[in-house]
Amino acid sequence: MKNVDMKMHVKGQSVFIDDIKAPIGLLNAALFTSPVAKGRIKNIDISAAQKSEGVAMVITHKDIPGKNQIGHMIADQPLLAFDEIEYIGQPIAIVVADTRKNAKKACQLIKVDIEKLEPVFEPREAYQKGLIHAQKRVLVNGNIEEAFKKSKYIASGRIDSGGQEHFYFETQRALAIPKEADTIKVCASCQSPGAFQHHIAEVLDIPMHKVELEIRRLGGGFGGKESTAVWVVAAALVAKLLNRLVKLVISRNEDIATTGKRHPYSYDYKIGLDENGKILAFEVFLYQQAGGCADISPAVLGRSFLHTSGSYCIPNVKITAVSCKTNIPPNNAFRGFGVPQGTFIIESALFHASEIMGKNIIELKKINLLKDGDFLPYGMQLKKTNAVRCWETLDEKVNIKKRIEAVEEFNKNNQTKKRGISVIPVCFGISFAQSTLNQASALVNIYIDGSVSVSTGAVEMGQGVNTKILSVAANTLGIQKEKVRVDTTNTSRIPNASPTSASTGADLNGMATKFACEELLTRLKKLIAKKTNFFDLDKIRIKDGIVYLCGAKLDYTWEELILDAYNERTDLSCHSFYATPAIYYDRVKERGRPFAYYSYGTSLTEVEVDILRGVYEIVSIDVVHDVGKSLSPEIDKGQIEGAVIQSIGWTTIEQLRYAPDGKMLSSANSYKIPDIKFVPKNFNVMLLENSENPYAVCNSKAIGEPPFIHGLGAYFAILDVLRKIRKDKPLPSLPLTPEKVFMYIYE
């Protein structure tokens, strides 16, 4: 089943925030932000801006009726700065005018006197100065010192990975509508309905039941709309103070300059292996570039922290991780949520070790793959492990040995172009690392004409979660999909909704929907039993909108059944709740079962590098990925393809640039993301067959983020070429841009 929004997208009929028709009198808000990266505000003069054309109000921290705080995990992020400045782009005031142009014009008239302080931009420097968010985390498993003593081969070094701009189609925006009795409705492009509703209520100093947050769909999110509530709360604040409709929209370049990115990391690593290539010990220190406020960085760091062993069984580990406070906009969630960074370091360390051993890296990976019964560093024992199955299935599909031989043959016969190859295994834990968030509810209503509406806390952002929820409801009730509609995400219908992130949208909300539909189906079966005098409910079935008894078709349709149920005063509405069972984690001991299950996969990436110019081409990508029993093969394949290409962008061409003073230099004109020409001609995706998953809805597996790991193959395939040319330099940082490839070869 394809995305239910697809046809509307193609016709341009899908409604986003800017498509909502607002009445005459709509006000526009713009943010006045800090021009310096680190400082102390001494004075703000808004007098000229207040007198500017079309201006209705200029709002500072003094006008906030409630808490001036929107920190997502730690209360360190004021909505409007009033004392300390932590990054360029930090909001100081909100200008409200009749047009956005007038609001932006008035922003230029605000004068702010800031005492400049010395900023810190490098995470290692921040750590040395004690500038960290939350606490340093250390996980030790086994005896690391003894394991290194027993290791025949040891590789150590430093490497870095860069950030990444979300570059969603729809930039940050919100429309706030004041209502009667001190209530407010906000239509927003955000991924966290429950959290953002709470922030609005606190800042406005009203109870949460007076805040209605509604989300139809997002023009992309990728995590960038999960935690930073500035734009949504600011719009709500203005609407509350002026009792007028207010829209706040930021331009593409404003979005790039002031929003968080994928977290850059710096790593120190040391890995030890025995004579057969089995990994004995792994030690790593992760320095996370978090930014001026904590935002969601500690949670992202936690994910990296728990995934530094990748897809490999490593009996002895020591992992240290710190979230470093630097003076750039606070980084936030991004597809993969720290797992790509955690996986990158073990893949880099293993690559380095293979060079020291003189052993083929692909063979080295294969002999260390996770299997049933293996333990992960935090004490969780694996079951239903498909790491080896995915690898072997890919090998059967592409013949890895022959592909390696073909690359070697190509390189013998070509002087200026060389090919490289890489195989990347995936092991990705599914669940929110914060156990509390692993919950969801659903409201299913059946109307007397037989149509069905489903409300959940899931946010549709192009990933197809509404389609999957619709499919779950229709299949569970036994009716045609056309009879089901997934409603908007609304905090008045579904309270306290967790973010749609961590690839749990369909898992949590789909399961809650299934529970609600099963309860409704039981009620309907009892009515059928009463009418037919047949009381074996297990043998009563509804299929394609027709009632069956013991497999025999009755002349009794869904519509007739629902009308009878209504006349019999049967409750045709059901709210249900789901909480992921048996997950827990002890942060003190760094032990537990933080994930319900794992998603696995293996991919082979082949590249061709022009060693005279440094440019390259992704020749082919072959992917085998474990999605369990897919809820929608079309959507799952699309998610895999999109994730891989987005990841290749991160690993090869997307590079963020900052000025020495911390100002973002990258813009829409200078920041390169993958386009259709970047997609390899040979891109083959296969879903692992005969895989089931009892830990998620209908035996499916999460799909949004895990395939992102496959994109690391582009970096390591290019690296395969570079290290055949020269090995007298350390491993290059990620991304491997064409400029960096050229300089690596010739510098």
Side-chain angles (χ1 to χ4, degrees):
M1 184 179 181
K2 298 179 181 179
N3 193 316
V4 292
D5 284 348
M6 184 181 67
K7 290 183 179 179
M8 290 193 297
H9 286 343
V10 172
K11 294 179 181 179
Q13 295 174 342
S14 300
V15 175
F16 298 89
I17 300 301
D18 264 358
D19 299 314
I20 299 173
K21 294 181 180 179
I24 297 173
L26 172 72
L27 294 174
N28 289 266
L31 296 175
F32 170 76
T33 62
S34 170
V36 303
K38 178 69 175 175
R40 186 175 294 110
I41 297 174
K42 300 178 72 175
N43 183 56
I44 304 173
D45 183 358
I46 61 173
S47 57
Q50 287 176 318
K51 298 173 185 176
S52 184
E53 180 185 358
V55 171
M57 187 177 185
V58 179
I59 298 167
T60 67
H61 71 95
K62 298 176 182 178
D63 301 302
I64 296 175
K67 293 182 179 179
N68 182 19
Q69 184 56 240
I70 54 168
H72 193 75
M73 296 185 70
I74 299 172
D76 67 345
Q77 187 172 5
L79 174 63
L80 298 176
F82 61 93
D83 184 13
E84 299 291 330
I85 290 295
E86 300 293 351
Y87 59 93
I88 291 176
Q90 184 169 2
I92 296 174
I94 309 169
V95 177
V96 194
D98 54 351
T99 67
R100 186 172 184 275
K101 182 178 180 181
N102 282 338
K104 294 295 293 180
K105 182 180 177 182
C107 282
Q108 298 174 7
L109 301 176
I110 296 177
K111 297 178 181 179
V112 58
D113 182 10
I114 301 176
E115 178 191 353
K116 290 186 178 180
L117 302 175
E118 188 67 27
V120 175
F121 299 121
E122 295 299 324
R124 289 174 182 260
E125 180 186 352
Y127 174 66
Q128 291 299 324
K129 292 182 175 180
L131 301 173
I132 66 172
H133 298 296
Q135 301 295 317
K136 175 165 56 173
R137 297 183 66 173
V138 180
L139 189 162
V140 177
N141 188 55
N143 191 324
I144 194 81
E145 291 81 9
E146 285 300 315
F148 275 121
K149 289 179 182 178
K150 295 178 181 178
S151 299
K152 184 173 182 180
Y153 303 99
I154 295 176
S156 62
R158 169 186 168 169
I159 197 166
D160 300 273
S161 62
Q164 185 179 24
E165 163 62 27
H166 297 88
F167 224 103
Y168 27 64
F169 284 143
E170 181 187 30
T171 59
Q172 300 281 358
R173 58 195 60 203
L175 173 66
I177 308 163
K179 296 284 192 177
E180 63 179 16
D182 206 31
T183 60
I184 190 165
K185 179 176 181 178
V186 182
C187 300
S189 187
C190 71
Q191 296 174 232
S192 300
F196 281 31
Q197 179 196 22
H198 184 236
H199 285 313
I200 293 170
E202 284 199 329
V203 171
L204 272 54
D205 195 25
I206 58 177
M208 288 178 68
H209 74 264
K210 289 193 174 186
V211 178
E212 179 187 359
L213 188 61
E214 179 159 284
I215 308 162
R216 172 73 269 179
R217 61 177 63 82
L218 312 187
F222 306 118
K225 299 173 181 177
E226 178 181 348
S227 56
T228 312
V230 171
W231 303 274
V232 178
V233 178
L237 172 63
V238 176
K240 175 72 163 53
L241 293 177
L242 295 176
N243 198 32
R244 296 273 296 275
L245 276 78
V246 175
K247 182 185 287 185
L248 196 162
V249 175
I250 64 174
S251 69
R252 174 63 62 191
N253 283 337
E254 287 173 326
D255 197 298
I256 294 174
T258 61
T259 63
K261 319 296 179 193
R262 179 182 298 281
H263 292 79
Y265 278 68
S266 187
Y267 318 82
D268 292 321
Y269 66 87
K270 182 180 179 182
I271 189 169
L273 304 92
D274 67 15
E275 64 277 6
N276 298 315
K278 295 288 284 186
I279 305 172
L280 297 182
F282 184 46
E283 185 173 6
V284 61
F285 200 121
L286 294 86
Y287 302 88
Q288 182 197 57
Q289 168 85 291
C293 306
D295 199 275
I296 205 168
S297 296
V300 175
L301 183 70
R303 278 273 182 157
S304 303
F305 181 75
L306 296 176
H307 282 83
T308 52
S309 59
S311 296
Y312 310 111
C313 179
I314 309 177
N316 303 282
V317 299
K318 181 179 180 181
I319 309 162
T320 307
V322 288
S323 181
C324 304
K325 181 178 180 178
T326 55
N327 297 114
I328 62 170
N331 288 317
N332 51 26
F334 202 129
R335 194 176 199 168
F337 206 83
V339 178
Q341 295 96 315
T343 306
F344 173 66
I345 184 55
I346 180 60
E347 291 291 334
S348 299
L350 203 53
F351 186 98
H352 189 183
S354 72
E355 292 184 331
I356 291 175
M357 296 176 67
K359 189 175 180 66
N360 184 286
I361 178 62
I362 295 175
E363 288 301 314
L364 200 58
K365 292 181 181 186
K366 185 178 179 180
I367 64 175
N368 284 287
L369 285 175
L370 291 164
K371 302 180 292 296
D372 275 1
D374 285 344
F375 285 88
L376 293 172
Y378 40 88
M380 183 170 171
Q381 188 172 26
L382 292 173
K383 299 178 181 179
K384 298 184 180 296
T385 313
N386 284 330
V388 174
R389 275 195 64 206
C390 287
W391 184 289
E392 292 178 345
T393 303
L394 178 71
D395 198 8
E396 291 171 6
K397 178 184 177 184
V398 304
N399 196 323
I400 296 173
K401 183 179 179 181
K402 283 191 175 181
R403 289 288 292 273
I404 295 172
E405 292 171 351
V407 165
E408 291 173 348
E409 185 65 23
F410 178 90
N411 291 339
K412 286 179 183 178
N413 298 321
N414 290 271
Q415 295 299 314
T416 62
K417 292 186 177 181
K418 300 294 181 180
R419 289 192 174 183
I421 198 167
S422 177
V423 176
I424 297 292
V426 174
C427 175
F428 195 114
I430 303 297
S431 289
F432 285 103
Q434 184 180 347
S435 298
T436 302
L437 297 177
N438 293 288
Q439 57 174 293
S441 57
L443 174 65
V444 180
N445 298 321
I446 304 176
Y447 299 94
I448 59 173
D449 65 350
S451 61
V452 178
S453 74
V454 180
S455 292
T456 74
V459 175
E460 175 61 57
M461 60 191 91
Q463 82 281 41
V465 68
N466 281 353
T467 303
K468 290 188 172 184
I469 288 171
L470 186 154
S471 178
V472 168
N475 291 339
T476 305
L477 293 173
I479 59 177
Q480 296 87 346
K481 293 180 174 63
E482 294 74 20
K483 294 187 184 297
V484 182
R485 179 179 185 272
V486 178
D487 216 327
T488 58
T489 306
N490 188 294
T491 55
S492 294
R493 288 192 299 272
I494 303 296
N496 312 317
S498 295
T500 300
S501 62
S503 301
T504 61
D507 278 14
L508 296 175
N509 296 280
M511 191 69 87
T513 299
K514 187 172 184 288
F515 285 177
C517 290
E518 287 174 342
E519 172 58 30
L520 288 167
L521 189 61
T522 298
R523 295 175 194 171
L524 294 172
K525 283 184 176 182
K526 289 179 179 178
L527 178 64
I528 295 169
K530 181 179 177 182
K531 291 183 69 69
T532 61
N533 205 30
F534 182 86
F535 293 98
D536 189 347
L537 299 187
D538 291 338
K539 295 184 179 179
I540 298 174
R541 189 182 176 198
I542 301 173
K543 181 182 179 183
D544 296 328
I546 302 295
V547 177
Y548 290 78
L549 295 184
C550 294
K553 183 177 180 180
L554 300 186
D555 187 18
Y556 195 24
T557 66
W558 169 261
E559 289 78 8
E560 292 169 333
L561 170 61
I562 297 307
L563 190 56
D564 285 346
Y566 171 72
N567 290 330
E568 290 287 333
R569 297 188 292 183
T570 302
D571 185 1
L572 293 174
S573 180
C574 184
H575 169 272
S576 191
F577 178 80
Y578 173 72
T580 309
I583 55 173
Y584 60 93
Y585 197 76
D586 187 327
R587 282 286 301 272
V588 175
K589 297 179 180 178
E590 296 290 3
R591 293 289 187 275
R593 187 178 186 269
F595 306 115
Y597 64 91
Y598 293 83
S599 178
Y600 300 94
T602 306
S603 59
L604 184 147
T605 303
E606 187 175 334
V607 302
E608 184 173 301
V609 181
D610 183 330
I611 62 173
L612 294 180
R613 297 182 297 156
V615 297
Y616 45 76
E617 177 188 359
I618 312 298
V619 176
S620 65
I621 302 173
D622 294 275
V623 178
V624 172
H625 199 83
D626 178 15
V627 299
K629 189 174 181 181
S630 177
L631 293 172
S632 173
E634 295 95 338
I635 286 178
D636 286 351
K637 285 186 177 181
Q639 284 290 290
I640 293 170
E641 291 167 355
V644 173
I645 295 303
Q646 189 175 43
S647 179
I648 291 175
W650 172 56
T651 59
T652 63
I653 61 173
E654 296 185 46
Q655 194 166 30
L656 296 164
R657 292 294 192 184
Y658 296 86
D661 65 353
K663 183 179 180 180
M664 171 63 70
L665 296 177
S666 301
S667 67
N669 292 331
S670 63
Y671 189 78
K672 175 65 176 174
I673 63 172
D675 55 24
I676 191 67
K677 295 180 181 179
F678 198 76
V679 179
K681 294 179 181 179
N682 299 311
F683 192 178
N684 307 301
V685 174
M686 189 175 96
L687 306 182
L688 185 68
E689 296 180 351
N690 302 317
S691 174
E692 293 193 350
N693 177 35
Y695 309 107
V697 59
C698 302
N699 285 290
S700 64
K701 281 192 175 184
I703 192 61
E705 296 174 294
F708 193 94
I709 307 302
H710 296 300
L712 287 170
Y715 171 93
F716 286 102
I718 297 170
L719 185 62
D720 182 40
V721 174
L722 297 183
R723 299 298 277 188
K724 287 173 181 174
I725 298 172
R726 61 185 302 182
K727 295 182 181 179
D728 59 327
K729 302 175 70 174
L731 297 183
S733 62
L734 178 156
L736 264 177
T737 63
E739 296 87 350
K740 197 180 293 183
V741 168
F742 180 85
M743 295 300 288
Y744 186 91
I745 296 172
Y746 295 107
E747 189 178 28

